[in-house]
Amino acid sequence: MFPKQYDGMSLDTRWRRGWRERSLLFRGCRVFLALALSVFFVVKAVAQGLSEKALFEAAVKALQDGFFRRAEQEFSDFVRDFPQSAQAVDAGMLQMHARAEAALNEESYRDASEIFESIVKKYPTSARARDAVFGFAWSQFKLGESRKAFERLTQPDVALLKAVEGTVLDSGMARGLLLLAEVALVTKETKTGELALARVSGLTLTAASSWQRQFLTVRYQLLKGDLESAFQSASNLVSLARALPGSKNLAESASLQADVFLQRSNVVEALGALELNLPTNAPPAYRRMAMLRTVDLLKTALKPEDAIPKLGVLLKTYAGDPILDAAQMAMGEVLMRRFYSLAAQARAGEGTNILSQARSHLSLLVLQGTKTDFLGHAHYHLGWGWWEENSMFPSPDRVRGAGTNFDLAIRNLPRSTEQMVARFKLADTFLLSMDYRSAVSNYSRLLADYPEWATSKSAPHDQVLYQLARAWVGLRDLGQAREVSKQLTQRFPNSAFGELCLLLVAQEMNRQSPAAEAREVFDQLIKIYPGSEKLPEAKLGVAQTFEREERWPDAVTAYTSWLALYTNHPSIPFAEFQRASASSRSDASSNSFHLFTNFLARFPQHERGPLAQNWVGDYHFERGDFVSAEESYQRLYSNTNWVALGALDILYRAHLMAARSLLMRQSVKQAKGQLTTFISFLNQQTNTPPNVIDEAWFLLGDVLRTWPEPGRSSDDMQEAINAFKRIPDTSDLAPRAWGAIAGCHLALASGAGGVIITNRYHDALFFFQKSSSALNADIETRSLADYGIGTVFLGLSEIVVEVRERNRLQREALGGFLRVFYQKNRLAGESPVPYLLEQCGIKAVDTAQALGQTVEAASVTRRLIELFPPLRPKFQPRLDVLEKNQAESGK
């Protein structure tokens, strides 16, 4: 089929100049129109004096020269003034003809059609009836009634195709035949059209009609696929056009010749033909069309690297020209294509420069605003440019740039695939920015606004549903997310996004919802997509749901089955670790040890390796194999690969546990050295967690006070105090550290040879009281402090001479012990510490008895026996004595 832009493009001009071609008059009629109007009234005044013949001929000349309304009036005047003239009938007919021609000239094709039809009916035998038929056919053609035009031109009375006696093939017939050939192209009656062209080929035509015949010839040759003939004919067509005045014929010829070249796959020659229509003296419409076709060819027929320099030449040659927006748009698009043609590793280098160039050209179009038809497309490609740049160099500004341009693209593009994609990418920018509410709004609007494209291969509706589910997950609305996943699997059962969506929702439910509900979605994925690539992940998710429910044997079974089924999957290390972890919680310790050690042997560089090695160390520690435990912890913190993973908390814990292992096997000196070295190392780090260094200082202080070296016990105890004091008051360990400091002072209160250091008691009391009243102290720390307070008061009571003061101190001591025994220091939600409860109860009995409080001592003893039945053999005799004393005293 011939390109649409040529269908009827030149018919107006060809038809309207029909009368002038036949009379061979010049075309400068408008100059004479002004002159004619100026003398109108003079002519009217002398009309009575002019001859009938002259007036008639003047009207005919006006008609021939295209002054149709003037001719209509003059023929009307002639009929009025000379009703008896032999030319009156012709004048009436020509008056109608002039009116019809005027209607054609004014593009009132319906009026023209009716008038021409009236002429044929009223003057069927007139020599001019044939021209009326042609006028009627042309009017119908312009009204879109090509079939009516074709049928009228092919009726026998018109005698265009068959010779009829008395019919002469003159220029008027040539005009009709050319019109028939043109109409036949539109109605696809090509054989008839070819007959019409063949019949007119033998006529001597005007230059314009010869060009028209050649123009139609090329079109028919193209339609038949006779490219070689079309190639020759198109060349002649351009030559004929150059000989005609004006530029329209040449413009049409160049466009048609470009079509011939394209069908011969001669892109360079086609571009050359279109270049004839680019100069400023070409008709504006043809210049615009030539530029659009040129840039389209450069975009689609050439590689980006070949098209870019040619577009650059266009931009330079026609700088400032209004038609250049098409080239500017094409340059932006081609640069984007060039970016996408790069290998992934080249995009972050050369690609960034290409994106910058594309943005420059597209931004120039945006600055033109409503002056360009490409505003929406420019914003569309700018949005993609920002999006791609953000994918390489993420930043909120680039995401905002993409979102802003996609939004403007939506506003300026017509309803189209590009507008739909722009809406999709706008929603993606909101999702990327974690503006989940706006993302949900835009994904939902896309689904609502473009339902008819849901089944198109280019439509992203299945991916939109997946992204919508992601947005609902971001809003923590798993009910909506699950509903969307249901829609996706039902509407697009063959889409890979269905699997992804179910997996996404199930995994999120496994974090937020009951495990059974998450398992239901995992099972749904397994059932609907039995051949899915996501099946391994779904089955791993099922195993994890068992872990969440602490169904450890089921979890071990699920992981074991998974490992047997998937022997070459990237998640094997994860599954092996989780199986070992679940096994350790199901009381299969020896088997867990085997699983963890096997994991470490197979995956020594895995990120969960530190956790596995730590478990192995704890396993040895808990079983009293402190040598193996110390070795395991040392292996953990010495592994440079694990250090590189950044699992600092567990690595630091390994240092501390190694020191504890040394202590437990009585390697005190080595433990001190280990801790001293570790603390020195921590002080050199810039990212050491405060709790780690606090714990190291506490453990060092504990070692110094618990295992002092012979001969320097007091020095070690003082060093322990100094270590505990390195822990800041803001630390969670501070209350325990204060209690430990108090304990050190209490130990130093009795020196060698029985020398009593009273100040140490006071220091001990100060730190015990501080520990007991600390808001962040747990019940064990507070109970230890209260026990220590009682012990300090007892110690002080032993060194005073005055009885009253001694009794006061003993009562203070009793108060400290009873505070713990009666659980007055227990906060809501806390449980008492049994061994401290027992010790404070024993001390309370002793102290009450020393104070002579027999009744109270007996009561505490009874309560102590009730709470701790194993103490009965030891304390029952004592209770009996107390009760006996109580009875004897009558109390």
Side-chain angles (χ1 to χ4, degrees), residues 824-880:
K824 291 181 65 178
N825 65 344
R826 183 166 65 90
L827 302 178
E830 291 182 330
S831 298
V833 183
Y835 84 93
L836 287 173
L837 210 64
E838 178 185 348
Q839 291 302 313
C840 285
I842 293 171
K843 284 289 186 180
V845 171
D846 291 342
T847 307
Q849 197 168 357
L851 285 169
Q853 298 177 354
T854 306
V855 176
E856 291 83 352
S859 297
V860 173
T861 304
R862 288 190 202 95
R863 189 180 299 278
L864 184 64
I865 293 172
E866 289 175 6
L867 289 173
F868 303 100
L871 294 178
R872 182 176 293 277
K874 179 179 179 180
F875 281 87
Q876 186 63 49
R878 188 171 180 177
L879 176 61
D880 293 342

Side-chain angles (χ1 to χ4, degrees), residues 679-832:
I679 291 171
S680 176
F681 165 77
L682 292 176
N683 287 328
Q684 295 172 14
Q685 307 304 306
T686 57
N687 57 346
T688 301
N691 62 303
V692 174
I693 196 166
D694 293 347
E695 191 169 350
W697 279 116
F698 189 92
L699 183 55
L700 178 60
D702 220 19
V703 171
L704 290 166
R705 71 167 176 159
T706 308
W707 289 279
E709 293 184 29
R712 64 181 311 274
S713 59
S714 60
D715 292 334
D716 281 349
M717 203 67 69
Q718 186 57 52
E719 286 184 26
I721 291 173
N722 295 337
F724 289 127
K725 284 187 174 180
R726 296 297 296 269
I727 298 171
D729 290 355
T730 55
S731 172
D732 290 339
L733 285 174
R736 288 179 58 196
W738 296 330
I741 292 170
C744 291
H745 283 298
L746 187 60
L748 290 171
S750 297
V755 178
I756 306 301
I757 307 175
T758 307
N759 290 339
R760 291 289 186 180
Y761 279 121
H762 291 299
D763 289 340
L765 183 61
F766 170 79
F767 282 103
F768 276 135
Q769 288 174 336
K770 190 173 182 180
S771 177
S772 173
S773 61
L775 297 177
N776 59 335
D778 58 27
I779 188 170
E780 183 176 17
T781 301
R782 294 196 303 275
S783 297
L784 280 169
D786 287 334
Y787 179 83
I789 290 171
T791 304
V792 169
F793 280 120
L794 282 181
L796 287 172
S797 70
E798 292 174 0
I799 63 173
V800 296
V801 177
E802 206 271 316
V803 175
R804 182 179 297 180
E805 179 62 14
R806 181 187 303 121
N807 290 340
R808 183 187 70 78
L809 290 171
Q810 288 175 335
R811 284 193 295 273
E812 292 286 354
L814 180 60
F817 298 135
L818 290 177
R819 177 177 169 80
V820 176
F821 188 69
Y822 289 150
Q823 301 179 37
K824 291 181 65 178
N825 65 344
R826 183 166 65 90
L827 302 178
E830 291 182 330
S831 298

Side-chain angles (χ1 to χ4, degrees), residues 369-389:
T370 55
K371 295 179 182 179
T372 177
D373 297 331
F374 300 106
L375 184 60
H377 291 90
H379 281 300
Y380 179 78
H381 289 290
L382 279 169
W384 274 111
W386 284 115
W387 180 267
E388 295 297 348
E389 199 167 301

